[in-house]
Amino acid sequence: MRPHLSDLLAAAHVVTLPMRLRFRGVTEREAVLIQGPRGWAEWAPFPEYDDRDAARWLAAAVELGWGEVPPPVRAEVGVNATVPALAAARVESVLARYDLAADPARRTAKVKVAEKGQVLADDVARVTEVRRVLGPLARIRVDANGAWSVDEAVEALTALAPLHLEYAEQPCTAVEELAELRVRLARAGVDVPVAADESIRRAEDPLRVAREHAADLVVVKVAPLGGVARALEIVDACGLPAVVSSALDTSVGLAAGVRLAAALPQLDHDCGLGTAALLAADVVPDPLLPLAGTLTTDRADAARQAVDPGRLTAYRSSAEREAWWRQRLTRAHALL
């Protein structure tokens, strides 16, 4: 069902939420919360994304608020901690915000690397500290957001490999670069699997990664791919193991991510759905934070129905930003 634009605009609430730490260059997260007949949905494409990207995010919100979400095949989803590109000395305090699994072998952390203005030594120090804090059995993955060239990625992953990485997420930007990187890592004896994120969620052809053998696994996100059902189709067509991640969502958006992870036929990796810990405020009284390294579909569904009107008012965006988002919503709706 495609709701009328007037219904979307009437049901939309634009909020600006403060971040605990700078993440992805963001210190405040803007989002639009939309109440549909089937519950609350979130629409929050990053401001730099074009209208076509924004329309896919809107399709995901419409699915959640007006449509049917595929049923789960599991009730519980493992979740990784997320460590921004900060100084190694701050790693322990960040990890302390996560209720990680008691069993060290079940702990997982994703570490941001390749931050502009930093050097490889900063990344090695940060990941080394994560390994120290979480222990030798924990699973650690790094995410470069496509910032490295192939040569830089080979150098960096060779330096980081002794820390026993689970995988490297989007080390380079282009699909052909990822394919070349996998070959060069294999020839060098560097055992670090490659995961594709932006090459899936922002690509005109998300299946190209699989066709060109450019990744060992794929990272999928509900909103950028146009909804839970569409994400499941892409994972099935790729034929690669999948990890579900968030797009720096509120608890409403994270709830959709949990439903995608719970609906995947196979899920072998913990998911990046613990990013509510990066927000200093949320739109629900009880943010969707993992307990003992897991989230459940019951908690996710409850969070999506628990949006607090008082918080929507307290964190309402400025009139200027609200007008910007409503104009953007109008353009994205026309592209549905």
Side-chain angles (χ1 to χ4, degrees), residues 32-319:
V32 181
L33 281 299
I34 307 173
Q35 188 170 25
R38 294 189 178 275
W40 285 92
E42 177 182 323
W43 182 63
F46 291 102
E48 67 269 22
Y49 288 3
D50 64 24
D51 288 348
R52 287 185 302 171
D53 284 332
R56 283 195 294 270
W57 290 58
L58 185 56
V62 167
E63 177 193 59
L64 202 63
W66 279 261
E68 295 283 348
V69 177
V73 298
R74 63 185 60 80
E76 188 174 273
V77 174
V79 177
N80 65 256
T82 300
V83 179
L86 39 69
R90 300 179 64 188
V91 163
E92 190 164 9
S93 64
V94 169
L95 289 172
R97 297 194 185 105
Y98 292 88
D99 185 10
L100 295 167
D103 180 358
R106 292 186 56 233
R107 298 173 184 166
T108 305
K110 179 167 83 169
V111 186
K112 290 291 185 177
V113 293
E115 180 84 353
K116 186 176 181 180
Q118 296 185 6
V119 296
L120 178 56
D122 297 317
D123 295 334
V124 173
R126 186 181 312 113
V127 178
T128 299
E129 180 65 1
V130 173
R131 174 60 71 198
R132 184 195 70 78
V133 173
L134 295 187
L137 300 180
R139 292 161 291 191
I140 299 176
R141 54 189 69 158
V142 297
D143 182 7
N145 288 117
W148 287 322
S149 68
V150 176
D151 287 344
E152 289 169 337
V154 170
E155 178 188 7
L157 296 179
T158 299
L160 291 166
L163 295 165
H164 306 292
L165 300 183
E166 184 182 23
Y167 60 78
E169 183 175 325
Q170 200 70 41
C172 308
T173 299
V175 171
E176 57 269 22
E177 291 177 321
L178 296 179
E180 179 186 349
L181 174 63
R182 291 185 72 227
V183 172
R184 289 181 57 178
L185 290 176
R187 287 175 177 170
V190 178
D191 184 18
V192 178
V194 172
D197 177 10
E198 285 89 344
S199 292
I200 297 292
R201 63 181 168 89
R202 298 204 68 192
E204 291 296 326
D205 180 7
L207 305 185
R208 185 182 167 205
V209 163
R211 285 199 310 272
E212 299 193 14
H213 306 288
D216 299 283
L217 63 158
V218 293
V219 179
V220 290
K221 300 178 180 179
V222 172
L225 293 177
V228 174
R230 176 58 179 153
L232 288 172
E233 291 173 358
I234 289 172
V235 171
D236 180 63
C238 281
L240 294 171
V243 178
V244 179
S245 189
S246 76
L248 202 52
D249 305 321
T250 73
S251 288
V252 173
L254 289 172
V258 173
R259 289 302 301 266
L260 169 57
L264 284 170
Q266 185 172 348
L267 184 64
D268 299 324
H269 300 272
D270 287 345
C271 294
L273 298 171
T275 51
L278 300 174
L279 296 175
D282 208 328
V283 295
V284 299
D286 184 18
L288 194 57
L289 295 166
L291 301 176
T294 62
L295 287 170
T296 64
T297 54
D298 286 347
R299 286 187 63 213
D301 291 343
R304 199 166 68 83
Q305 304 300 330
V307 172
D308 177 12
R311 290 168 186 263
L312 296 180
T313 299
Y315 295 104
R316 182 174 179 175
S317 299
S318 68

